[in-house]
């Protein structure tokens, strides 16, 4: 009976840890998405004054980069 309680405690702690990490990652992805939307919006504000706009992203966690040419 003691081993069963131990396994249940490990399962609860493991599930809680997985949900916490998932929640933190989801929150960070959401914040990055909002920041990237603002950067892209500002990039296209004066689109009629430039010939070309290039939006780059180096990696998954990196912000977007707006280059006006």
């Amino acid at each position: 009976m003691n081993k069963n309680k131990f396994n249940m405690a490990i399962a609860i702690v493991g599930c809680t840890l997985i949900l916490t990490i998932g929640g933190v990652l989801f929150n960070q992805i959401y914040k990055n998405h909002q920041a990237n939307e603002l950067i892209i919006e500002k990039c296209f504000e004066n689109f009629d004054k430039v010939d070309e706009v290039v939006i780059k992203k180096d990696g998954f966690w990196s912000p977007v980069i707006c280059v006006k040419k």
Side-chain angles (χ1 to χ4, degrees):
M1 193 67 167
N2 193 15
K3 188 175 181 181
N4 193 18
K5 287 183 181 180
F6 178 73
N7 287 341
M8 184 61 80
I10 293 295
I12 290 172
V13 169
C15 288
T16 304
L17 186 62
I18 289 170
L19 289 173
T20 302
I21 291 171
V24 168
L25 289 175
F26 180 80
N27 190 33
Q28 187 62 42
I29 289 170
Y30 181 72
K31 286 180 180 180
N32 287 352
H33 176 70
Q34 286 182 325
N36 286 341
E37 279 186 337
L38 287 173
I39 293 170
I40 292 169
E41 186 178 312
K42 289 193 182 278
C43 185
F44 284 102
E45 274 181 357
N46 300 321
F47 184 67
D48 55 342
K49 297 179 183 175
V50 293
D51 294 335
E52 185 179 349
V53 175
V54 177
I55 297 177
K56 297 180 183 179
K57 186 168 176 83
D58 291 333
F60 183 72
W61 294 108
S62 67
V64 293
I65 301 168
C66 177
V67 179
K68 297 179 181 181
K69 296 181 178 183

